[in-house]
Amino acid sequence: MPEGHKTHFLARAHHELLAGEGVKVTSPQGRFRTEARKVSRRYLDSVSASGKHLFYEFEGGAIVHVHLGRYGKFRQHPSPPPKPVGQIRMRMIGPAASIDLTGPTTCRVIDAEIQQEVVNRLGPDPLAGGRKLDVWKNITQSGQPIGALLLDQSVVAGVGNIFRAEILFEAGLDPQIPGSSLSQESFDQLWKSLKRMMTVGLKYGKIIAVTASEAGMPLAKVPEDQRFRVYGQTECRRCCTPISSVEVGARRLYHCKHCQS
Ligand SMILES: [Zn+2]
């Protein structure tokens, strides 16, 4: 599932490609056809992200709200785009570029009031100025394990399954520690890791948990299979013991019992 770095990355890219232009909106698959007509051929004012939600704001107040969910994907094409292939829910065609959306959890037209309701349900988004103190409050007010709290979008917006595993590993934290038992020092480390990894993710458009000095190369050159320290791994790179995986917050969480105790 795309995490917060990816939605912010897409928002920037799509804003650059399409904002300030009249955009034709269609639904080759058909499921979004009626709603697409409400915004089609209007000017796209801006594209923004909150947590894992994307908002395409059109002149006149209509907003296309997209949540990619687990299977949603965007593809970019020149303009005019090629003939539609597959289940394209939404196609946006600008003068210079076009984008196709397939498999989203949410793709609908809303107004500013509903957008505000969506944003109000989210916790602070570290990539949109979300404050450390507010996340600290949300975490320490709960007896839930920190591994579950990090996935809860009302606690902190934009963290998904990969960030969760990699952040907890870097901070050396046992995922089962209740939020209310977290020390200020541990939280400081957690926040530092979270900010660093999400900022790197936004810059490169993908999650790179390792540092350049650890990888022995610039981050842009880190191979796909060497980006993570624990996520999807079988052996800990640091202590060489097996990586454990358990269900926490309904998703599989990878962690090293030796390094995270
Ligand atoms: Zn280890």
Side-chain angles (χ1 to χ4, degrees):
M1 181 188 286
E3 304 188 24
H5 70 292
K6 191 73 185 182
T7 39
H8 281 277
F9 184 85
L10 288 168
R12 280 187 188 180
H14 292 172
H15 183 91
E16 214 156 279
L17 285 174
L18 300 168
E21 308 283 359
V23 174
K24 185 178 171 190
V25 184
T26 66
S27 179
Q29 171 210 47
R31 280 181 62 183
F32 183 61
R33 189 168 294 150
T34 311
E35 295 205 75
R37 287 193 189 117
K38 296 180 189 169
V39 290
S40 190
R41 299 189 188 279
R42 290 196 194 176
Y43 273 88
L44 178 64
D45 286 330
S46 70
V47 186
S48 63
S50 283
K52 299 178 186 174
H53 300 261
L54 281 161
F55 300 106
Y56 299 78
E57 299 183 27
F58 285 83
E59 63 164 340
I63 301 164
V64 174
H65 171 213
V66 172
H67 189 295
L68 290 170
R70 230 181 249 213
Y71 306 107
K73 267 198 181 71
F74 276 103
R75 249 178 220 98
Q76 192 185 314
H77 300 290
S79 210
K83 240 178 132 182
V85 179
Q87 298 291 311
I88 299 171
R89 181 79 59 89
M90 176 178 71
R91 173 169 262 190
M92 286 190 181
I93 308 167
S98 59
I99 53 173
D100 284 348
L101 170 65
T102 54
T105 296
T106 305
C107 178
R108 59 176 181 161
V109 175
I110 59 173
D111 59 22
E113 201 176 317
I114 308 244
Q115 179 191 30
Q116 199 52 52
E117 281 171 21
V118 172
V119 173
N120 287 349
R121 281 199 295 271
L122 298 173
D125 177 347
L127 289 177
R131 287 167 55 210
K132 180 181 174 183
L133 184 65
D134 295 329
V135 178
W136 165 248
K137 279 186 199 154
N138 290 345
I139 286 177
T140 50
Q141 273 168 9
S142 172
Q144 291 287 311
I146 185 64
L149 288 171
L150 286 176
L151 281 195
D152 182 340
Q153 299 300 300
S154 69
V155 170
V156 54
V159 176
N161 206 23
I162 301 177
F163 273 136
R164 160 177 83 158
E166 296 294 336
I167 290 163
L168 287 169
F169 179 80
E170 187 166 280
L173 283 174
D174 179 346
Q176 302 291 354
I177 296 176
S180 50
S181 304
L182 206 67
S183 69
Q184 176 79 52
E185 195 186 354
S186 295
F187 176 74
D188 287 348
Q189 179 57 53
L190 192 75
W191 179 258
K192 200 173 142 197
S193 299
L194 193 151
K195 286 280 280 191
R196 183 187 72 76
M197 280 188 210
M198 289 187 91
T199 307
V200 166
L202 173 58
K203 181 173 176 190
Y204 295 95
K206 60 184 175 185
I207 300 172
I208 308 174
V210 296
T211 61
S213 64
E214 195 180 341
M217 63 185 90
L219 289 182
K221 291 192 175 162
V222 174
E224 288 298 304
D225 60 352
Q226 290 175 34
R227 291 186 288 140
F228 308 136
R229 297 175 177 133
V230 280
Y231 181 82
Q233 309 295 306
T234 51
E235 188 179 271
C236 179
R237 293 196 196 179
R238 192 180 291 164
C239 72
C240 299
T241 65
I243 293 290
S244 310
S245 71
V246 284
E247 291 255 327
V248 184
R251 301 285 304 277
R252 187 156 292 279
L253 170 61
Y254 294 86
H255 67 118
C256 173
K257 282 184 183 166
H258 182 254
C259 297
Q260 296 173 255
S261 57

